[in-house]
Amino acid sequence: MGRPLWQIDADLRRLQAEKKAARPRTFKPGARLRSYKPEAKGQRDPRQTDAAYLSWLHEDTVCIACLIEGEPMNPHGLPNRIEAAHQNLAIAGKGWRERGGGKRIHDARTVPLCTLHHTGLPNACDNGQRKFWDRLGLGDDIADFAAALYAAFKNGAPALPVIQQFARLTDGGQRG
């Protein structure tokens, strides 16, 4: 009679944890803008990631859609926290090209949205980004909003004044 099954299972989990801990880490917390080399010949715009920016977006920001429209009803009881919404829009005047074929968007092209406005409602951002931003009154200004947020992060400034500035843009048509 050998060892009991629970003991073998515990040993297996311990060995897997040791193996995982021994692996070198490829991600360094707080790493700044990391650009990947082109994956294929002719790739022009490799994705750039910025983990520090994404964590900054989650800290003391508010959902711009909640500021403009008000907080929506929560029919599913979802936890309504801030998420980084990557914007995949083609805005020629701003130099934004739509990424296709499952390609990821640069982290600098993210904006803070609550769970409901990001993915939780039928008219959420991920269900139709162009319609969503046109409905809020931002339209192509979403590119300026994302750029202003990223610039605030780079300068060490808080995000809330930038979000409030662009929320006011929809009211009277003037920033300010």
Side-chain angles (χ1 to χ4, degrees):
M1 192 139 209
R3 297 183 333 183
L5 188 59
W6 65 268
Q7 197 174 30
I8 295 170
D9 193 40
D11 287 343
L12 180 63
R13 281 196 304 272
R14 181 183 52 80
L15 289 172
Q16 286 174 336
E18 287 174 4
K19 183 179 176 183
K20 184 177 180 181
R23 263 189 261 149
R25 290 179 59 174
T26 56
F27 171 75
K28 296 177 182 86
R32 295 287 179 147
L33 198 59
R34 182 174 60 201
S35 179
Y36 294 101
K37 293 183 179 174
E39 298 168 3
K41 186 177 181 181
Q43 182 180 358
R44 298 180 301 200
D45 194 15
R47 179 180 186 215
Q48 296 173 341
T49 61
D50 194 342
Y53 175 64
L54 294 180
S55 65
W56 179 80
L57 267 184
H58 288 90
E59 285 174 7
D60 292 325
T61 58
V62 295
C63 173
I64 188 167
C66 287
L67 285 178
I68 295 170
E69 292 184 330
E71 195 167 327
M73 285 183 46
N74 192 344
H76 309 294
L78 295 171
N80 202 17
R81 60 183 182 270
I82 295 297
E83 299 176 352
H86 289 77
Q87 299 306 305
N88 188 22
L89 293 171
I91 304 173
K94 311 292 183 184
W96 279 20
R97 290 193 316 266
E98 189 169 334
R99 313 265 302 198
K103 299 288 185 202
R104 290 293 189 124
I105 306 301
H106 299 318
D107 287 345
R109 285 176 56 173
T110 58
V111 296
L113 290 177
C114 65
T115 302
L116 294 173
H117 281 116
H118 187 200
T119 58
L121 296 172
N123 60 352
C125 181
D126 275 7
N127 297 335
Q129 291 182 352
R130 174 64 64 192
K131 280 195 236 179
F132 179 80
W133 294 114
D134 287 345
R135 185 184 85 225
L136 291 180
L138 281 173
D140 287 352
D141 287 331
I142 191 61
D144 296 331
F145 177 49
L149 276 174
Y150 196 68
F153 164 72
K154 287 291 196 184
N155 294 329
L160 190 57
V162 176
I163 297 169
Q164 290 171 336
Q165 173 188 8
F166 278 87
R168 282 192 300 268
L169 173 67
T170 64
D171 293 339
Q174 295 180 357
R175 291 189 186 140

